[in-house]
Amino acid sequence: MSDPSRLSSIHPSAIIAPNAQIGENVEIGPWCVVGANAVLEENVKLHANVIIDGHTILRQGVEVFPFVTIGMAPQDLKYGGEPASCEIGERTIIRENVTIHRGTTQGISSTKVGAHCLIMANSHIAHDCVIGDGVIIVNNVVMGGHVEIGDGARIMGSAAMHQFVRIGRGALVGGLCGVEADVIPYGCVLGNRARLVGLHWIWLKRQGVSHPEMKEMRQAYLDLYPRYLDASRASSKPGSDADADVFASRLAQVKKNYEKNSRVKEIIDFMEAKSRRGLVKVSGLRRREGEPFQD
């Protein structure tokens, strides 16, 4: 790390604490504030009016637009100023008015955003959230504490996620969704409240998943959630013992039938993992699975 006073790209109006660690080729625009425990690695760019507080690390190439705050104290009444951190992965872009709070000792003591993410304007990432690599969060998305979002997920505009919700890898959360429960990897949820309507075929195609594998994933999904489910019985965390037994039987059969398909296994492992929120319900609407690609 370099002495910030030697970096000509720091605007004279910026306030840099003496103990802040500033890397090479960092650009800090007007009226930015960088706290004493902050670390800005090489090629970080703060446009203007950005506040970096607390034990916060911005990895190389992070770009932060105006009026963003990163590493501020969490909005949690239990928080008493205990040491906690915040980390932003390399080459992530954070647009205007985003707020990202540091963790709490009641959680994992850290808030983490992965590499190569795009966090669009006015979004909020709460304390102890863990965001994977390559995630896109569109404007006005908000989340409670302890939310986990897997690599490559897409969270559309004005979606809201309950605390402790898990969003699986490659999942799609539609705009204006209120997400109260976990979304399986590669799942697509729409509506308020969010309901599972299928798999995120577009993302899978862009990742180069083969046509035969997508067909197998579609069949596994339909084995778990048969077509034309009655909305009153469409929960993937069924209410009655009989419903729970039926779903457990389906889950066991899918696990056996598709044990060689790594992506189906990932979905099953996600379903079987410990959860504070359970799984989202399946939409009761009639739908034709597989339309996004030809048989």
Side-chain angles (χ1 to χ4, degrees):
M1 294 293 176
S2 302
D3 178 355
S5 64
R6 296 172 57 193
L7 299 179
S8 60
S9 56
I10 295 179
H11 193 275
S13 65
I15 301 173
I16 312 296
N19 293 331
Q21 298 182 53
I22 309 298
E24 297 290 340
N25 300 314
V26 169
E27 297 181 39
I28 300 178
W31 310 112
C32 291
V33 178
V34 179
N37 296 307
V39 177
L40 276 57
E41 294 188 348
E42 59 269 24
N43 300 312
V44 166
K45 182 174 183 178
L46 310 182
H47 281 265
N49 297 93
V50 173
I51 298 177
I52 309 297
D53 192 35
H55 294 269
T56 295
I57 300 176
L58 272 58
R59 298 296 183 189
Q60 61 179 338
V62 169
E63 183 174 9
V64 186
F65 282 75
F67 304 105
V68 169
T69 65
I70 302 175
M72 301 291 282
Q75 298 174 136
D76 186 335
L77 294 176
K78 299 186 297 298
Y79 182 72
E82 303 89 354
S85 66
C86 182
E87 179 177 345
I88 311 298
E90 64 181 37
R91 303 194 183 282
T92 281
I93 298 172
I94 302 172
R95 296 304 305 251
E96 297 83 355
N97 299 301
V98 167
T99 54
I100 304 175
H101 291 167
R102 61 182 179 260
T104 66
T105 54
Q106 290 79 24
I108 59 173
S109 297
S110 181
T111 301
K112 298 179 180 180
V113 177
H116 302 278
C117 295
L118 173 58
I119 316 298
M120 296 190 196
N122 302 303
S123 295
H124 173 62
I125 298 175
H127 61 87
D128 302 293
C129 289
V130 178
I131 313 299
D133 296 338
V135 172
I136 296 178
I137 296 177
V138 180
N139 302 62
N140 304 306
V141 167
V142 294
M143 59 190 77
H146 315 277
V147 168
E148 298 178 22
I149 301 179
D151 295 348
R154 303 291 188 259
I155 315 297
M156 297 295 103
S158 299
M161 280 154 285
H162 195 286
Q163 59 184 321
F164 295 104
V165 156
R166 297 179 302 145
I167 308 294
R169 182 164 77 104
L172 172 67
V173 174
L176 299 174
C177 275
V179 185
E180 299 176 306
D182 298 346
V183 179
I184 61 173
Y186 318 112
C188 176
V189 296
L190 300 174
N192 187 11
R193 298 298 196 229
R195 295 292 182 264
L196 187 64
V197 297
L199 297 181
H200 191 184
W201 302 116
I202 293 175
W203 188 87
L204 289 164
K205 288 178 70 174
R206 288 176 177 171
Q207 296 300 306
V209 179
S210 69
H211 182 273
E213 185 174 1
M214 284 197 290
K215 287 188 69 175
E216 192 170 60
M217 291 178 70
R218 179 184 66 174
Q219 189 56 55
Y221 176 87
L222 292 174
D223 290 348
L224 281 170
Y225 305 114
R227 297 172 193 255
Y228 311 136
L229 288 170
D230 178 354
S232 67
R233 297 174 60 82
S235 172
S236 47
K237 186 179 179 182
S240 71
D241 291 341
D243 287 345
D245 289 343
V246 168
F247 189 77
S249 176
R250 287 180 188 154
L251 193 64
Q253 192 62 48
V254 167
K255 186 175 183 179
K256 178 180 178 181
N257 292 346
Y258 301 94
E259 61 183 356
K260 294 183 179 180
N261 187 309
S262 61
R263 288 183 174 83
V264 173
K265 184 179 184 300
E266 184 179 354
I267 293 171
I268 300 300
D269 290 345
F270 183 94
M271 289 178 160
E272 293 182 332
K274 184 178 179 181
S275 171
R276 296 280 293 266
R277 300 299 304 167
L279 298 171
V280 293
K281 294 181 179 180
V282 180
S283 172
L285 298 175
R286 290 173 177 260
R287 62 195 185 282
R288 293 181 59 192
E289 287 299 331
E291 287 183 341
F293 66 98
Q294 298 296 316
D295 290 335

